[in-house]
Amino acid sequence: NDSSVWDFSYDSEGKLLEVTFTKDGKQVRKSKYVWESNAIRRVNEDNETKYTLRNGLIQGWGGQFEITYRDTGRPKQFENRTFLWNDNGGLSRVSDELYNTSGNKIYDSRSFFYNENGKTCKGFNPMVPIELSSYAAITGDIEDLFIVHPELVGMRTTQLPVRYQDIDIYSGNSFGNISYSLDSEGYIYSCIISDGYSPKYIMTWQ
């Protein structure tokens, strides 16, 4: 089976220092992170990306992407992707306006549903910022920084969405489950999204 592995290392303050990404056992890239007062720089072998910060939140990066935020500090808009949040701080809806080559809208949104008992994890749920970084991955790498530092994009939460609904203009509504297993300390060990194409995510914590 194909496998992709991200290895993260941190400094003594818990800030991300380096990420090594391997695919099928072969190293694809290694990124180093340099933390400055109002910016973070990601340095790869052949390029460098600068993330600009204001009030502890990433405003944009690479001269290409920009994020706007709500008064609560949660992200509101990223490119053509809009984020809605519930009163308990959980991500409730991600809305995209995707169009085909004829200019017709083909996809609208993905909504998330939670357990009524409000089950949560320890630490944070890294699957939530993946909803933002997966959009960035359309033009390049998944943004490692968002996954391990979701507070930098206002997406740190311990809530666990357990179901989702996709609204597709052509194929109609589809539903799926999001299942988690937690380790003995309550951190997420694995996550499976039953959409037919997402991989199984397995995490180790330090």
Side-chain angles (χ1 to χ4, degrees):
N1 294 334
D2 295 339
S3 63
S4 299
V5 178
W6 284 262
D7 286 315
F8 303 94
S9 61
Y10 307 86
D11 65 13
S12 59
E13 298 179 349
K15 295 179 179 178
L16 181 63
L17 278 183
E18 189 172 275
V19 180
T20 302
F21 173 57
T22 58
K23 187 173 180 62
D24 300 331
K26 297 180 180 179
Q27 181 175 309
V28 176
R29 64 174 170 84
K30 178 176 285 189
S31 303
K32 295 185 178 181
Y33 287 82
V34 180
W35 295 69
E36 301 172 350
S37 58
N38 293 310
I40 302 170
R41 291 187 291 115
R42 182 184 69 184
V43 182
N44 294 345
E45 293 181 358
D46 54 355
N47 63 71
E48 180 176 315
T49 300
K50 184 177 181 179
Y51 304 84
T52 57
L53 294 170
R54 186 168 67 242
N55 298 324
L57 294 171
I58 291 175
Q59 305 298 305
W61 68 98
Q64 182 178 8
F65 298 110
E66 293 184 359
I67 307 174
T68 59
Y69 295 89
R70 302 181 183 278
D71 292 340
T72 58
R74 295 297 194 187
K76 177 181 180 181
Q77 191 81 25
F78 175 55
E79 300 299 300
N80 69 339
R81 177 165 284 192
T82 302
F83 300 88
L84 297 178
W85 301 81
N86 63 30
D87 293 338
N88 295 321
L91 182 63
S92 61
R93 181 169 176 173
V94 178
S95 181
D96 288 321
E97 293 185 357
L98 300 182
Y99 298 84
N100 61 18
T101 54
S102 300
N104 299 315
K105 184 188 288 188
I106 57 176
Y107 181 78
D108 184 20
S109 65
R110 169 173 284 195
S111 297
F112 297 93
F113 305 91
Y114 296 79
N115 279 334
E116 292 182 358
N117 62 8
K119 185 178 180 180
T120 60
C121 64
K122 193 172 180 180
F124 62 89
N125 184 353
M127 301 305 300
V128 174
I130 284 178
E131 285 297 323
L132 191 152
S133 64
S134 63
Y135 185 92
I138 294 174
T139 61
D141 296 328
I142 287 180
E143 297 298 320
D144 311 317
L145 192 59
F146 302 165
I147 298 175
V148 298
H149 285 296
E151 66 278 3
L152 292 176
V153 286
M155 300 189 80
R156 188 181 182 96
T157 180
T158 60
Q159 294 197 36
L160 302 175
V162 294
R163 296 183 67 242
Y164 68 86
Q165 174 188 18
D166 281 336
I167 301 175
D168 189 291
I169 302 302
Y170 288 133
S171 61
N173 296 356
S174 61
F175 297 85
N177 296 317
I178 308 172
S179 58
Y180 307 87
S181 63
L182 306 181
D183 65 19
S184 59
E185 297 182 8
Y187 293 94
I188 295 177
Y189 169 72
S190 66
C191 177
I192 299 176
I193 304 173
S194 63
D195 55 14
Y197 57 86
S198 292
K200 179 180 180 179
Y201 296 90
I202 297 177
M203 306 158 206
T204 57
W205 299 76
Q206 67 181 55

